[in-house]
């Protein structure tokens, strides 16, 4: 196990390798990827389709175990922790926004947003109070322009509305890190633009460490840094610092 | 907590769970209701099956004991031991023997006719029971049987002294007096003051031959126990008179014991009393069944009903098993259907244990709702079975319970809390068992695989 990284890093990945078993053959998708996400930084990750961006994000988001390598956050090497500790870490410190929203269809928008708080309650890290947390969630949703949609179920919402609910859910517990995998990929340009504005506004307001995967060149210009992933590796020379 | 919230939500949002709940309701309800009714039948039948049997009968074997001694031929040592026993409320010695009832004079032809008729010949044979009246009144229901007013019989003049010469008798006959069963009196057309001739035979312990003896008796009156068999065949007389009739070969054959609290000692009294009396030299052996409770006399009958109840329990338990299996199938379906949700929950920080408990809880909601509803319906059904049956009969004009077949005019039911509780626990257990497989599968779901599946 390596040494703990600089505490100014919100997230740090070292030499991450990941292979999948496909039809008896082992195929390595990530060939030793590095990443350092500074606190309060907007980091954009780009790359060709199939380059392994999503896979890398899943490893960073503690959803997919790497074959090799380590992921540090909160001063801990996350993949050496027990499964339950890692789940608690994921719950409390990482917000994840997926391309396909991934809301629970049986819960209303409001209930979906409150769900992470309920889960946090089971770890004892938050004391769940239904009226207080629902009010909090309603406030967030109202801010996102969904004040009239609180009791709607996901299938009664448009794509853009669903993604805004998903963003609210990712932020409700106030995580330090927000990981977004092509959050606008399923949306038309106008709608995507608004969702993205909302994410970036929140990032600034909350001083979040944002890791964003996108195919959109214009978007990378709104980030502090852009990394390029190519064939399972972060290109060493790809770091582009774009002044605001 | 969110596990309860989510499992409950999933339950409500999937109407298919109704099938699981209904299945368990039917299984639990039917089991409780049927078992309660069978228990009712059993209890009711016990009363019928028991009849006038004493709590415990002590019947020493007269063969030599292993130490070469014999049990006393007098009843007194045994009675003394029993009287001293705190568990015993009363004890009454019986001398029981068989005899043939014949009549002389005009009635001789009648007797002959009865003996020749294969359908009636058994009616000629009677069971002679010699009793000590005072003790008998303490230990059995003889007094009530004697006091019974009936259309065929005739009460003895003095219930306290049933074998005494009735004050109303003005005949000359010198014979001893007996009391006969009401139906026996009717068969033989006996009245107060009738003379009967009892014929019996007694094996001689020395020669091994049986010597017949016969003696005339006078009928002092009749008794009615309400039990056909006894009222048609039993004759009571004084124990010393019967002993004398039997050439003093035996003084008693068994002692009927009434216990202070039968229910408290029913399972232990045979062994305990058997050992204690044997140690006192009053029984032939400690474990040869010389002490028997009424239940052990009726073991096969009671056992048959109890077996039936157990069998019914097993068969209805299968319904619960099938219902639990339905829950298993429903959960398997839900786990497949909710694969993506499992991925999402994991991504939000749910542990494997939580995923497992969510699905386990869905199963348990099914079981809890079903068994609660089933228990309520089952208990209500058992309590109201009579009304339900009458209503069904009158509405659909079919007779479900034929009241003429049974000795009771209502459908008996006895709801035992133990049965209700164990049925509910059984339903919960089997559902938990069956739910654990899909729940475990759910907990093994890889979050990313689940999310990718579309
Ligand atoms: N669970 C898996 N099993 C097998 N192969 C996988 C699995 N997950 C990803 N892969 C493979 O790994 C490679 C990288 O996939 P990944 O989804 O990370 O790419 P990506 O960079 O996110 O592409 P896109 O921009 O299209 O989203 C692909 O070739 C994919 O087929
Ligand atoms: Mg991707």
């Amino acid at each position: 196990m390596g040494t703990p990284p600089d505490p100014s890093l919100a997230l740090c990945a070292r030499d991450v390798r990941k292979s999948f078993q496909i039809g008896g053959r082992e195929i390595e998708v990530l060939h030793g990827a590095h990443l350092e996400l500074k606190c309060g930084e907007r980091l954009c990750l780009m790359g060709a389709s199939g380059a392994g961006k999503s896979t890398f994000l899943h490893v960073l988001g503690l959803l997919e175990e790497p074959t090799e390598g380590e992921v540090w956050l909160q001063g801990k090497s996350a993949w050496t922790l027990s499964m339950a500790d890692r789940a608690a870490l994921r719950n409390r410190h990482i917000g994840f926004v997926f391309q396909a929203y991934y809301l629970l269809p049986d819960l209303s928008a409001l209930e979906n947003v409150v769900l992470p708080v309920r889960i946090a309650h089971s770890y004892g890290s938050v004391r769940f109070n239904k009226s207080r947390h629902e009010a909090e969630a309603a406030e967030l949703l109202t801010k996102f322009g969904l004040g009239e949609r609180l009791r709607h179920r996901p299938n009664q919402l448009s794509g853009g509305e669903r993604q805004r609910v998903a963003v609210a859910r990712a932020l409700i517990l106030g995580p330090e890190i927000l990981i977004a995998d092509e959050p606008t990929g399923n949306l038309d340009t106008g709608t995507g633009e608004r969702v993205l504005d909302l994410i970036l506004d929140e990032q600034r307001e909350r001083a979040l460490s944002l890791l964003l995967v996108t195919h959109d060149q214009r978007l990378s210009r709104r980030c502090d840094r852009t990394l390029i992933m190519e064939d399972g590796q972060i290109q060493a020379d790809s770091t582009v610092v774009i002044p605001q | 907590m969110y596990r309860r919230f989510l499992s409950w939500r999933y339950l409500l949002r999937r109407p298919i769970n109704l099938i699981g709940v209904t299945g368990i309701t039917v299984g639990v309800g039917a089991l409780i209701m049927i078992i309660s009714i069978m228990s009712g039948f059993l209890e009711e039948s016990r009363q019928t099956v028991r009849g006038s049997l004493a709590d415990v009968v002590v019947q020493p074997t007269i063969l030599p004991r292993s130490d070469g001694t014999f049990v006393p031929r007098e009843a007194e040592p045994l009675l003394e031991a029993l009287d001293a026993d705190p568990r015993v409320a009363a004890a009454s010695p019986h001398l029981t023997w068989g005899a043939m009832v014949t009549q002389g004079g005009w009635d001789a032809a009648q007797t002959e006719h009865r003996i020749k008729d294969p359908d009636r010949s058994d009616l000629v044979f009677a069971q002679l029971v010699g009793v000590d009246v005072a003790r008998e009144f303490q230990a059995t229901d003889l007094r009530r049987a004697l006091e019974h007013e009936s259309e065929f019989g005739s009460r003895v003049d003095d219930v306290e002294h049933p074998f005494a010469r009735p004050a109303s008798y003005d005949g000359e006959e010198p014979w001893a007096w007996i009391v006969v069963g009401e139906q026996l009196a009717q068969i033989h057309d006996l009245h107060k003051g009738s003379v009967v001739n009892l014929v019996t035979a007694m094996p001689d312990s020395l020669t091994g031959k049986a010597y017949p003896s016969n003696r005339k008796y006078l009928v002092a009156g009749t008794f009615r126990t309400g039990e056909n068999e006894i009222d048609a065949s039993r004759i009571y007389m004084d124990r010393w008179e019967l002993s004398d009739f039997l050439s003093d070969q035996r003084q008693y054959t068994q002692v009927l014991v009434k216990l202070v609290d039968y229910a408290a000692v029913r399972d232990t009294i045979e062994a305990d009393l058997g050992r204690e009396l044997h140690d006192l030299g009053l029984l032939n052996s400690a474990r040869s069944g010389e002490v028997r409770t009424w239940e052990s006399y009726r073991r096969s009958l009671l056992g048959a009903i109890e077996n039936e109840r157990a069998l019914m329990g097993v068969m209805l338990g299968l319904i619960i098993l099938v219902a639990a299996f339905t829950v298993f199938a429903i959960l398997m379906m839900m786990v497949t259907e909710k694969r993506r949700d499992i991925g999402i929950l994991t991504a939000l920080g749910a542990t494997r244990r939580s995923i497992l408990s969510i699905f386990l809880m869905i199963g348990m909601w099914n079981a809890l709702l079903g068994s609660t509803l089933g228990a309520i319906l089952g208990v209500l059904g058992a309590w109201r079975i009579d009304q339900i049956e009458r209503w069904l009969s009158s509405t659909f004009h079919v007779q479900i319970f034929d009241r003429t077949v049974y000795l009771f005019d209502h459908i008996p039911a006895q709801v035992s809390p133990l049965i209700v509780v164990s049925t509910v626990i059984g339903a919960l257990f089997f559902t938990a068992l069956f739910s654990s497989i899909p729940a475990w599968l759910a907990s093994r779901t890889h979050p990313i695989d689940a999310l990718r599946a579309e």
Side-chain angles (χ1 to χ4, degrees), chain A residues 131-147:
Chain A
S131 52
R132 181 158 69 81
H133 287 108
E134 284 200 341
E136 211 171 277
E139 196 185 328
L140 195 57
L141 284 171
T142 309
K143 185 179 174 191
F144 290 180
L146 294 169

Side-chain angles (χ1 to χ4, degrees), chain B residues 311-322:
Chain B
L311 202 69
M312 210 69 172
V314 169
M315 289 196 315
L316 292 166
L318 284 179
I319 300 185
I320 295 184
L321 216 62
V322 170

Side-chain angles (χ1 to χ4, degrees), chain B residues 60-78:
Chain B
T61 308
I62 54 166
L63 299 171
R65 279 161 56 98
S66 51
D67 57 8
T69 61
F70 286 86
V71 298
R73 59 189 295 278
E74 300 82 19
E76 280 66 26
L78 183 54

Side-chain angles (χ1 to χ4, degrees), chain A residues 49-50 52-55 99 181-182 213 215:
Chain A
S49 184
K53 304 182 297 295
S54 294
T55 306
Q99 180 176 353
D181 189 357
E182 297 186 53
V213 165
H215 285 293

Side-chain angles (χ1 to χ4, degrees), chain A residues 93-170:
Chain A
H93 300 287
I94 304 173
F96 215 117
V97 178
F98 300 90
Q99 180 176 353
Y101 330 126
Y102 293 147
L103 300 175
L104 291 187
D106 295 304
L107 305 188
S108 70
L110 192 66
E111 288 167 334
N112 262 291
V113 175
V114 170
L115 190 58
V117 188
R118 290 179 182 270
I119 294 175
H121 177 93
S122 72
Y123 294 114
S125 64
V126 172
R127 174 117 198 86
F128 177 65
N129 174 310
K130 190 164 189 271
S131 52
R132 181 158 69 81
H133 287 108
E134 284 200 341
E136 211 171 277
E139 196 185 328
L140 195 57
L141 284 171
T142 309
K143 185 179 174 191
F144 290 180
L146 294 169
E148 308 293 310
R149 297 275 185 271
L150 301 181
R151 301 287 164 197
H152 285 54
R153 290 191 191 285
N155 61 6
Q156 298 166 314
L157 298 174
S158 73
E161 287 167 336
R162 286 185 212 186
Q163 195 59 302
R164 277 180 276 166
V165 174
V167 173
R169 183 181 64 185

Side-chain angles (χ1 to χ4, degrees), chain B residues 15-276:
Chain B
I16 187 141
N17 281 292
L18 270 180
I19 298 175
V21 174
T22 313
I24 294 173
T25 304
V26 169
V28 168
L31 194 122
I32 290 177
M33 191 164 116
I34 303 290
I35 296 295
S36 298
I37 292 170
M38 301 236 10
S39 300
F41 267 81
L42 188 65
E43 197 48 44
E44 207 88 7
S45 316
R46 279 166 73 87
Q47 294 310 318
T48 317
V49 164
R50 172 167 188 177
S52 60
L53 279 175
D55 287 340
V56 171
V57 176
V58 181
Q59 185 163 346
T61 308
I62 54 166
L63 299 171
R65 279 161 56 98
S66 51
D67 57 8
T69 61
F70 286 86
V71 298
R73 59 189 295 278
E74 300 82 19
E76 280 66 26
L78 183 54
L79 290 174
E80 251 167 55
L82 288 169
D83 286 344
D85 193 310
R87 290 164 298 191
V88 174
S92 175
H94 271 197
L95 175 54
T96 311
W97 205 255
M100 204 165 105
V101 181
T102 62
Q103 282 163 286
W106 289 106
D107 297 322
Q110 280 271 4
T111 302
E112 190 191 330
H113 178 70
R114 279 191 208 103
I115 292 172
K116 283 189 298 194
D117 184 346
D119 283 342
R120 305 192 63 192
S121 56
D122 56 326
L123 297 176
V124 180
F125 295 92
Q127 181 194 36
L128 307 181
V129 178
V131 296
D132 298 356
V133 176
R135 277 187 173 274
E136 188 71 9
F137 281 177
Q138 302 267 307
T140 70
D141 281 340
L142 181 63
R143 182 196 293 273
R144 224 184 31 183
L146 289 174
E147 283 172 344
H148 195 94
E149 292 283 3
S150 72
E151 26 181 331
F152 322 118
S154 44
R155 261 179 67 162
V156 295
D157 282 10
D158 180 3
V159 172
E160 296 304 322
H161 305 98
F163 310 128
R165 177 192 167 104
S168 57
Y169 182 69
D170 50 11
E172 300 294 320
E173 310 287 0
W175 319 115
W177 294 82
I178 57 173
V179 180
V180 301
E182 177 189 281
Q183 294 192 36
L184 190 112
Q186 199 193 359
I187 295 159
H188 294 280
D189 196 24
L190 302 178
H191 303 281
K192 214 176 267 195
S194 300
V195 179
V196 290
N197 192 28
L198 298 180
V199 183
T200 190
M202 192 72 212
D204 188 291
S205 47
L206 294 176
T207 62
K209 285 186 177 169
Y211 293 99
S213 67
N214 67 82
R215 196 175 274 193
K216 284 201 169 76
Y217 285 97
L218 285 159
V219 175
T222 63
F223 67 86
R224 176 190 162 92
T225 61
E227 260 180 275
N228 271 327
E229 207 184 316
I230 289 180
D231 292 347
S233 69
R234 188 172 287 185
I235 295 175
Y236 280 110
M237 64 174 75
D238 183 69
R239 184 160 67 97
W240 298 110
E241 168 56 37
L242 182 54
S243 178
D244 186 58
F245 178 30
L246 300 177
S247 324
D248 206 23
Q249 292 265 21
R250 302 291 302 273
Q251 291 195 355
Y252 80 105
T253 47
Q254 67 262 79
V255 174
L256 274 54
V257 179
K258 183 177 177 171
L259 294 176
V260 177
D261 185 359
Y262 176 75
V265 294
R266 57 191 287 184
D267 296 326
T268 52
I269 191 75
E270 283 188 1
D272 290 353
L273 200 59
R275 193 183 55 249
E276 287 158 25

Side-chain angles (χ1 to χ4, degrees), chain A residues 58 63-65 83-84 87-88 90-91 98 100 102-108 111-112 115-116 118-119 121-123 128 153 169, chain B residues 1-3 5-6 9-10 13-14 338 340-352 354 446-449 451-452 454:
Chain A
H58 294 152
L63 289 168
E64 183 98 78
E65 183 162 14
M83 216 179 224
R90 184 161 62 226
N91 169 249
F98 300 90
Y102 293 147
L103 300 175
L104 291 187
D106 295 304
L107 305 188
S108 70
E111 288 167 334
N112 262 291
L115 190 58
R118 290 179 182 270
I119 294 175
H121 177 93
S122 72
Y123 294 114
F128 177 65
R153 290 191 191 285
R169 183 181 64 185
Chain B
M1 196 215 64
Y2 74 100
R3 290 164 283 231
F5 164 76
L6 273 182
R9 177 62 58 91
Y10 283 152
R13 297 274 297 167
R14 291 293 172 280
K338 292 279 163 219
R340 218 161 89 137
D341 286 26
I342 296 168
I344 296 169
L345 286 167
T346 313
L348 295 178
T351 54
R352 279 187 170 179
S354 308
H446 187 279
I448 297 303
D449 287 351
L451 288 176
R452 287 166 72 98
E454 248 154 281

